[in-house]
Amino acid sequence: AQSVTQLGSHVSVSEGALVLLRCNYSSSVPPYLFWYVQYPNQGLQLLLKYTSAATLVKGINGFEAEFKKSETSFHLTKPSAHMSDAAEYFCAVSENTGGFKTIFGAGTRLFVKA
Amino acid sequence: EPEVTQTPSHQVTQMGQEVILRCVPISNHLYFYWYRQILGQKVEFLVSFYNNEISEKSEIFDDQFSVERPDGSNFTLKIRSTKLEDSAMYFCASKTSGSYEQYFGPGTRLTVT
């Protein structure tokens, strides 16, 4: 079964600093990977997705992620953090068999300091 | 842009009562899902539904849970006898047959007292 591991349940950065949220996946076949953002008391918003077209994926709000097969990683980055980026971020992988369910990581809460 | 909708946004019920959570998936989607998120925890898969039957379910999805597509537009999750630990946000999702991307609804917050 596929799984997703997010390193760091909490990450704190200063406004304007680089954001790096780590995600590693386990998959025996090419994965379909996603990053979602969740603001307090709200639903899941898709930030970006990897579906094997390009290893560097650009998403909304200035975020991007790089798929590295050799490291089984899909880390999320943003060059300059903004206060509005404070939220919970979930890395997820979609299975490509059976019901094609999505498996989520435990999430990383991003804090942005002024 | 089409979106998945869910009603109600918040439901409060007493322990032991039955609840039905409703979802309207995107109209041309064929795969339907329910997920739940207990407060402060990750999103967990409950069940997937395709071609009018369950295609996969998790260990969480026990006999107290059921899903139904009663007509051509709605997709429901029923909990027969709610427990305190069923309190969570429940997300519905749908997708087409040609994509791995699921579109999530805004969620229904279920509070069991």
Side-chain angles (χ1 to χ4, degrees):
Chain A
Q2 300 194 30
S3 65
V4 175
T5 302
Q6 291 184 242
L7 297 175
S9 58
H10 296 85
V11 169
S12 183
V13 301
S14 297
E15 193 172 21
L18 171 72
V19 175
L20 170 61
L21 305 183
R22 299 177 188 274
C23 172
N24 288 87
Y25 67 91
S26 68
S27 173
S28 58
V29 296
Y32 294 90
L33 295 158
F34 307 86
W35 275 99
Y36 290 89
V37 61
Q38 185 179 38
Y39 298 98
N41 298 312
Q42 294 192 25
L44 299 164
Q45 182 179 11
L46 181 67
L47 272 179
L48 48 80
K49 61 184 177 184
Y50 168 76
T51 55
S52 76
T55 56
L56 184 62
V57 182
K58 293 188 184 298
I60 61 172
N61 302 339
F63 284 93
E64 61 183 36
E66 186 173 9
F67 172 71
K68 291 187 177 180
K69 185 177 178 180
S70 60
E71 299 177 6
T72 61
S73 69
F74 190 57
H75 301 331
L76 181 71
T77 60
K78 181 174 180 177
S80 176
H82 191 273
M83 296 296 287
S84 61
D85 294 327
E88 186 92 20
Y89 292 81
F90 292 96
C91 182
V93 62
S94 178
E95 292 198 334
N96 55 7
T97 58
F100 306 102
K101 67 178 181 283
T102 299
I103 299 166
F104 288 83
T108 297
R109 182 163 293 279
L110 177 65
F111 296 92
V112 182
K113 301 174 291 186
Chain B
E1 183 176 336
E3 57 184 20
V4 176
T5 59
Q6 292 185 243
T7 55
S9 57
H10 191 188
Q11 171 111 34
V12 181
T13 189
Q14 289 189 327
M15 194 167 50
Q17 295 297 304
E18 174 184 287
V19 294
I20 297 177
L21 309 183
R22 290 182 168 79
C23 168
V24 179
I26 295 173
S27 62
N28 64 336
H29 287 188
L30 300 177
Y31 292 81
F32 313 112
Y33 305 84
W34 283 102
Y35 295 82
R36 81 169 185 192
Q37 183 184 32
I38 295 171
L39 186 63
Q41 298 186 24
K42 70 176 181 181
V43 180
E44 302 172 290
F45 166 76
L46 290 178
V47 65
S48 59
F49 191 85
Y50 172 72
N51 200 25
N52 284 320
E53 62 182 20
I54 292 174
S55 49
E56 188 176 356
K57 61 183 180 180
S58 72
E59 292 178 354
I60 303 167
F61 194 88
D62 60 22
D63 292 343
Q64 293 297 313
F65 292 89
S66 62
V67 289
E68 192 178 29
R69 188 153 164 83
D71 52 42
S73 60
N74 290 283
F75 180 52
T76 62
L77 174 69
K78 181 191 291 186
I79 309 175
R80 288 189 183 81
S81 178
T82 51
K83 305 173 193 147
L84 293 176
E85 53 265 37
D86 293 328
S87 294
M89 181 77 92
Y90 288 81
F91 293 105
C92 174
S94 67
K95 77 171 195 74
T96 66
S97 60
S99 170
Y100 290 97
E101 180 182 350
Q102 295 176 17
Y103 291 76
F104 285 83
T108 292
R109 180 166 296 284
L110 176 65
T111 302
V112 182
T113 62

